[in-house]
Amino acid sequence: MRSIQIFLFLTILFLFSNKGLFAQSNNATLFGKVTDNSGNPVELANISLRNSTIGTVSNRKGEYLLRIPAKKPIVIVFSMIGYRSVEKNLTASEEQRIELNITIQQVDMEIGEVRITQSRRDKANLDRIDSKYLNSMTDAGTGGVEALIKTLPGVSSNNELSSQYSVRGGNFDENLVYVNDIEVYRPLLIRAGQQEGMSFINSDMVSSIEFSAGGFDAKYGDKMSSVLDIKYRKPTVFAGSASASFLGGSLQLEDLSKNGKFSYIAGIRYKTNRYLLGSLDEKGEYDPRFIDAQTYMTYKFSNAFDVSFLGNIAQNRYNFIPQTRKTSFGTWNQAFNATVYFEGQEVDRFATQTGALVANYHPGERLNMKLIASAYHSKEEETYDILGQYYLNELERDLGSDELGDSVLNLGVGTFLNHARNYLDATVYSLEHKGAYNSEHHLLNWGVKVQAEKIDDRMSEWILRDSTGYSIPYHGDRIELFSTTRTNFAMNSTRLSAYIQDTYQIPVSKGDLYLTAGIRSQYWSYNQELLLSPRAILRYYPDWDANFVFHLSGGIYDQPPFYKELKDRKGIIYPETKAQRSAQVVFGTDYIFRAWDRPFKFASELYFKSFSNLTPYQIDNVRIRYLPDHEAFGYATGLDMKVNGEFVSGIESWASLSIMKTEEDVLGDNHGYIPRPTDQRFNFSVFFQDYFPGNPTWKMHMTAFYGSRLPTGPPNSQRYMDVFRIPPYRRIDLGFSKVLINQDHKKYKHKAFDQIKDMWLSLEVFNLLGINNTISYLWVANNTGDMFGVPNYLTKRKLNLKLTVKF
């Protein structure tokens, strides 16, 4: 324990040291000013080393300062959306100070629904994240973008095997995800992270990432918690990438036709987490195989009209033959061991297809219109018959005993039989129009969407439990199953939705003030509910010497049921279930400052969310079981903070801290407010990067997480009983990488390497501290009928070797 405390202390000391991991002086200093063609300073321009994560941004006066490698030729790139990039070649001597003032030329850009003229300030309540950090993420295979999102304030996750996350007290189903304006769906039957496979988002194809943890615009859809908006690249030249590791591999290609009219970017990924699953307590034959293929193609008919297609095909197969399980748990004073012997197997299949055709018309700089037709289909099969025979024992804890750690007393024996034949077929079609009109003082956005849904659900799932020869629950004249879920249901429904919003610059005597206000509406034919959701965001940029931004947002966020919310634990459908509602208010500040002559940003948000018409739920691993026969109201309140900047010169890192409380009161249960299943009071995460000064080809990257205890309860219990807290989630993933080939400095002169721009080798250490994190519990009974929760631990420490090539 003392060694862990020392390590954590050194980790924190190392993170916030201004020297970094490899501190030594072999650098030079580059400084100057970035202006536009009118001589005005350009704020937030990117200044970076080509093919490197080393970089900085200009301040409000256009000034920048960057530490660069000395004694070697480098290429400095000055870039910003809406301006032509400028590249400069330099070779600096050690500790030389070089002044480089740059003028970048503004270019005309088409406006889209999320792109406006670049002379305006950013007014959306979204956090923009540079996609270059995806190359630096130490990822256990859940998806690079989601792994990055989990390090942001307000976001929490206690399962490295899953790409799902919770935001400000919401559950996994409350997060919106868009890829090129297409809403992304995920399979509905997933109940454990090891079944999940890969995220829809292919990080090799991503050009931009925008994320909001709450208080987002009316143009984003009908969920209560967050929105993740992803854009894929439109290629300009032929390029590609490939990677291979112990967890799978990927291949990505992109190109632009000679006449500049047709472009494509495509990727194929394969993943198997067998290597990671081998570290779980539950031993057996794991055979998970996940593969998907994606493409994004665009044909430009003219400067004013283009058509694009986004397609995805994914096949997830999860086969498992369990054999044994041995888990030790408890405290030092009272330690236990559960041993389970298994028979049977699990066979799961999840096949999804997504296709979307987008016609984009932009006759000028002011008007942009889109017509989007999309389709999604998911065919899911979850089948298993698993017999388990368990032995619950107490362990010897006497330090002087020769039997220390051995079983000294049997507390119970029992059997359980889990059975499932679950089949689900879901199809979603949609047709949508989006538009944007940009005038001198206004940016108007609007949209109309019609969506048809067809769901066919056949579920037969039951559990039989036996303890010391008696079935649970016990009846003298019959055998009763511990739990049953049976559904044979088909649903066809239609949703209509629309929104309109305007961004307006309000004249003020000092500074800049922007108001974005809008309203959404939706109607669902199945429950015949009409919803109206007004929302507004106010942003103020004061004319101060200090660089501050203030924003206030609020509104109504309604979340109608999709399908899962209609079905209870027994499989009964409740068609009268109405939309859940969240009334939110968010106040935030951004402060850009300099420390150690390097740029930093401190962002904070204080929020309150009032919930009404809630559908209570319970979580087991990543499976959410709703209780639509109950209704609740509640709240979530908290404070999110993030500091990011160049803790190490020229390379960005950040730390996020969230304090949150969320509770609900289930009507009619007479137990008052109880913690919601996502009531994680304290969450801290770090993303940190470092490199050898003077030799940035050697890099280090680390992610660290701490999430406080989440509430849970025994299976099939009443909602008010879910007040027991699982241990906190603690995890550090560490990676080291070495650039083998760089397009600016070819170390290898062989012809085979001529087309390779970059190649690097990474060594990743998952769960560096080897902590046993608990995701859920296996509940067993002793001889007297008392229930014991046996922890289901997540993965242990593992090494991963990864080779990445870009060409």
Side-chain angles (χ1 to χ4, degrees), residues 1 3-5 7-8 11 158-160 276 279-281 328 703-707 726-733 765-775 791-798:
M1 179 65 69
S3 62
I4 293 177
Q5 293 173 341
F7 178 87
L8 290 175
T11 299
N158 65 335
N159 189 346
E160 65 272 8
L276 286 176
S279 67
L280 299 177
D281 285 346
S328 298
T703 55
F705 300 92
Y706 177 87
I726 67 175
Y729 182 80
R730 298 153 294 168
R731 184 179 175 92
I732 294 178
D733 294 332
V765 186
F766 301 137
N767 195 4
L768 177 66
L769 301 183
I771 295 174
N772 285 330
N773 288 306
T774 302
I775 183 62
N792 293 317
Y793 293 129
L794 289 164
T795 57
K796 297 178 173 58
R797 184 188 299 112
K798 282 289 187 178

Side-chain angles (χ1 to χ4, degrees), residues 111 119 223 330 466 470 499 562 635 689 776 783:
I111 65 167
S119 58
K223 296 291 182 72
D466 176 277
Y470 296 92
Y499 70 87
F562 182 67
Y635 69 90
Q689 302 181 90
S776 59
N783 294 331

Side-chain angles (χ1 to χ4, degrees), residues 25-52:
S25 178
N26 194 18
N27 289 339
T29 300
L30 181 70
F31 67 98
K33 187 174 183 178
V34 183
T35 57
D36 61 18
N37 49 352
S38 300
N40 300 314
V42 178
E43 182 186 0
L44 300 178
N46 296 301
I47 303 96
S48 61
L49 270 69
R50 191 166 71 182
N51 302 311
S52 172

Side-chain angles (χ1 to χ4, degrees), residues 213-229:
F216 44 86
D217 294 353
K219 65 184 179 183
Y220 293 112
D222 301 284
K223 296 291 182 72
M224 295 194 297
S225 289
S226 74
V227 58
L228 174 61
D229 194 353

Side-chain angles (χ1 to χ4, degrees), residues 113-239:
E113 194 226 346
V114 295
R115 275 173 287 184
I116 61 176
T117 55
Q118 299 303 316
S119 58
R120 283 181 194 247
R121 292 181 184 268
D122 166 30
K123 294 165 286 295
N125 195 23
L126 294 166
D127 187 11
R128 286 172 170 78
I129 307 164
D130 198 324
S131 60
K132 69 182 180 182
Y133 300 122
L134 295 174
N135 294 325
S136 302
M137 291 303 299
T138 304
D139 175 25
T142 59
V145 172
E146 287 84 354
L148 193 62
I149 295 300
K150 291 177 183 180
T151 66
L152 301 182
V155 182
S156 63
S157 173
N158 65 335
N159 189 346
E160 65 272 8
L161 293 174
S162 172
S163 62
Q164 301 181 53
Y165 49 85
S166 170
V167 179
R168 292 180 177 174
N171 68 34
F172 310 138
D173 295 333
E174 297 176 15
N175 302 315
L176 283 164
V177 179
Y178 293 94
V179 174
N180 287 49
D181 298 318
I182 311 303
E183 186 174 352
V184 172
Y185 298 91
R186 58 184 179 85
L188 299 176
L189 293 183
I190 297 290
R191 58 185 174 83
Q194 49 263 47
Q195 298 174 301
E196 192 172 308
M198 294 175 291
S199 158
F200 178 94
I201 303 168
N202 188 329
S203 58
D204 295 331
M205 301 167 60
V206 171
S207 66
S208 69
I209 305 170
E210 296 180 319
F211 179 77
S212 173
F216 44 86
D217 294 353
K219 65 184 179 183
Y220 293 112
D222 301 284
K223 296 291 182 72
M224 295 194 297
S225 289
S226 74
V227 58
L228 174 61
D229 194 353
I230 300 294
K231 292 292 187 295
Y232 282 168
R233 284 193 304 277
K234 288 187 176 181
T236 57
V237 295
F238 174 76

